[in-house]
Amino acid sequence: MVNYYRDIKEKPVEGAYGTHIRWLITPRTGAKNFAMRYFRIEPNGASPLHSHPYEHEVFVLKGKGELLVGKETALSKESAVRKENISEGYFGLIEENEVHQFKNTGEKDLEFLCIIPIKEENIPEEEKNV
Amino acid sequence: MVNYYRDIKEKPVEGAYGTHIRWLITPRTGAKNFAMRYFRIEPNGASPLHSHPYEHEVFVLKGKGELLVGKETALSKESAVRKENISEGYFGLIEENEVHQFKNTGEKDLEFLCIIPIKEENIPEEEKNV
């Protein structure tokens, strides 16, 4: 399967600001172990500071932003995170249960790939292999 | 873990022509399920037509090329493959045991990400979590 990313429908990410997702490679298109998604965050947009029990592998394609990431502590989420500046060519591993947030701090869209392991709970119904 | 791809040492890919790899996210740096690699193929370079029992998920970053991919048949490898033109923004899933080959058909480097599931046999010793 080969395709072009703009031929995949972009959808808003609920609970995030100015953030959009394309599900590029998923169980529906044959993936068995991990899924590739393409994110676009508008200027001033951000994902919420959140965590989940699976990892992200990220590669930044365009734009400039900040990635907040760290281990969650009993004190507060904010106290535990560090801030990483990201732009084209930066990549990262966000480990399972690490809190994290993407912010666009530039004047153009921030675009990046985000790969996740395929689990029952993190694949939308329409992207499952049914 | 956040890093910049050029800060990762590039290594030649044995058995391929003008092909170089950077191991970006691996068991050594905390990955448990899948590994992210950055490939650079010089003009006129190519990987061999080959197959293996694990999949690739690929996203093209720069350059122009061809991806030959298909199911291996008893007749010959070449007879079964189809040719896909690839350039920035194209992505693909090469399923386990599909034969495949990347060729740079442009005048600049062809660069792409290639993510694989982590298995004992496909991670170099120096990238394992020891």
Side-chain angles (χ1 to χ4, degrees), chain A residues 1-8 23-26 29-36 38 55-59 61-62 67 69 82 84-96 98 113 115-119, chain B residues 1-8 23-26 29-36 38 55-59 61-62 67 69 82 84-96 98 113 115-119:
Chain A
M1 179 276 288
V2 173
N3 211 333
Y4 182 56
Y5 87 103
R6 284 186 178 269
D7 291 335
I8 305 299
W23 286 85
L24 300 186
I25 307 177
T26 72
T29 56
K32 292 178 180 167
N33 295 305
F34 45 94
M36 181 186 287
Y38 190 114
E55 74 272 32
H56 286 325
E57 295 191 11
V58 172
F59 189 93
L61 302 168
K62 296 177 185 175
L67 169 58
V69 61
R82 62 186 188 279
E84 303 272 6
N85 292 311
I86 54 173
S87 57
E88 181 184 341
Y90 278 80
F91 64 92
L93 171 66
I94 298 164
E95 296 188 33
E96 57 192 62
E98 281 193 314
L113 298 178
I115 297 105
I116 56 173
I118 293 172
K119 294 175 180 274
Chain B
M1 179 275 288
V2 173
N3 212 332
Y4 182 57
Y5 87 102
R6 284 186 179 270
D7 291 335
I8 305 299
W23 287 84
L24 300 186
I25 307 177
T26 72
T29 55
K32 292 178 180 167
N33 295 305
F34 44 96
M36 180 185 287
Y38 190 113
E55 74 272 31
H56 285 327
E57 295 191 11
V58 172
F59 189 92
L61 301 168
K62 297 177 184 174
L67 169 58
V69 61
R82 63 185 189 279
E84 303 272 6
N85 292 311
I86 55 174
S87 57
E88 182 184 340
Y90 278 80
F91 64 91
L93 170 65
I94 298 163
E95 297 188 31
E96 56 192 62
E98 282 192 312
L113 298 177
I115 297 105
I116 56 172
I118 292 172
K119 294 175 180 274

Side-chain angles (χ1 to χ4, degrees), chain B residues 35-50:
Chain B
M36 180 185 287
R37 299 99 49 84
Y38 190 113
F39 281 87
R40 180 175 68 85
I41 303 181
E42 300 169 16
N44 300 313
S47 62
L49 188 69
H50 70 295

Side-chain angles (χ1 to χ4, degrees), chain B residues 69-89:
Chain B
V69 61
K71 302 288 185 194
E72 194 165 355
T73 70
L75 284 173
S76 82
K77 287 184 177 179
E78 285 75 7
S79 68
V81 302
R82 63 185 189 279
K83 185 177 75 177
E84 303 272 6
N85 292 311
I86 55 174
S87 57
E88 182 184 340

Side-chain angles (χ1 to χ4, degrees), chain A residues 30-47:
Chain A
K32 292 178 180 167
N33 295 305
F34 45 94
M36 181 186 287
R37 299 99 48 86
Y38 190 114
F39 280 88
R40 181 175 68 84
I41 303 182
E42 300 169 16
N44 300 312
S47 62

